């Protein structure tokens, strides 16, 4: 069995799609103003779905998705870019054998980016 995709509900599909394209190398593969399908060459599939009109989209404070790379220098570079572009990022730290940081993404959830 293989996980097919992850769906996140967001208030602004277009803005969140652009964020994933710019910083996390996902490409838009289809969709509409209400839903976008993103993927990469590694087999990641992420769908972004617009919430219902007036719906308060709220993820639990501990909810996040994670992306990992093989090189700590890539983690530092991603952190620098996101911070320079004004995103809310935590400090880069070694946690549980992972060199990582978290960033608040458009859409109201966090992303962990790290190297093991």
């Amino acid at each position: 069995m293989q996980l097919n995709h992850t769906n996140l509900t967001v208030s602004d599909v277009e803005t969140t799609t652009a964020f994933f394209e710019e910083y996390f190398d996902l490409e838009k593969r289809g969709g509409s103003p209400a839903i976008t399908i993103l993927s990469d060459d590694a087999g990641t599939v992420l769908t972004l779905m617009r919430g219902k009109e007036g719906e308060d989209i709220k993820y639990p404070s501990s909810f996040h998705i994670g992306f990992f790379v093989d090189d700590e220098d890539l983690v530092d570079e991603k952190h620098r870019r996101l911070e320079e572009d004004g995103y809310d990022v935590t400090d880069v730290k070694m946690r549980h054998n992972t060199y990582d940081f978290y960033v608040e993404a458009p859409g109201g959830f966090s992303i962990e980016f790290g190297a093991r």
Side-chain angles (χ1 to χ4, degrees):
M1 187 179 321
Q2 179 181 347
L3 178 64
N4 178 268
H5 69 278
T6 301
N7 181 75
L8 298 174
T9 303
V10 298
S11 56
D12 186 336
V13 171
E14 187 174 293
T15 298
T16 310
T17 296
F19 178 79
F20 278 108
E21 289 176 316
E22 176 70 23
Y23 298 102
F24 294 96
D25 302 326
L26 294 175
E27 293 182 30
K28 185 175 180 177
R29 306 291 186 182
S32 69
I35 187 170
T36 292
I37 301 162
L38 297 159
S39 68
D40 64 15
D41 294 337
T44 302
V45 178
L46 178 66
T47 61
L48 302 173
M49 182 180 292
R50 183 177 60 214
K52 294 179 182 174
E53 187 71 34
E55 179 181 19
D56 184 24
I57 301 164
K58 197 164 198 150
Y59 289 95
S61 61
S62 62
F63 178 84
H64 68 278
I65 61 173
F67 292 92
F68 288 86
V69 293
D70 294 328
D71 186 345
E72 291 181 3
D73 290 338
L74 292 174
V75 174
D76 291 333
E77 174 61 20
K78 184 82 64 185
H79 183 270
R80 182 194 61 71
R81 279 188 63 213
L82 286 160
E83 190 170 51
E84 284 179 358
D85 290 348
Y87 289 96
D88 183 15
V89 295
T90 65
D91 291 335
V92 180
K93 293 183 182 179
M94 182 61 82
R95 295 178 250 262
H96 311 290
N97 298 320
T98 303
Y99 183 74
D100 67 4
F101 68 91
Y102 290 81
V103 58
E104 287 298 313
F109 55 92
S110 294
I111 296 174
E112 178 183 11
F113 190 79
R116 292 185 193 211

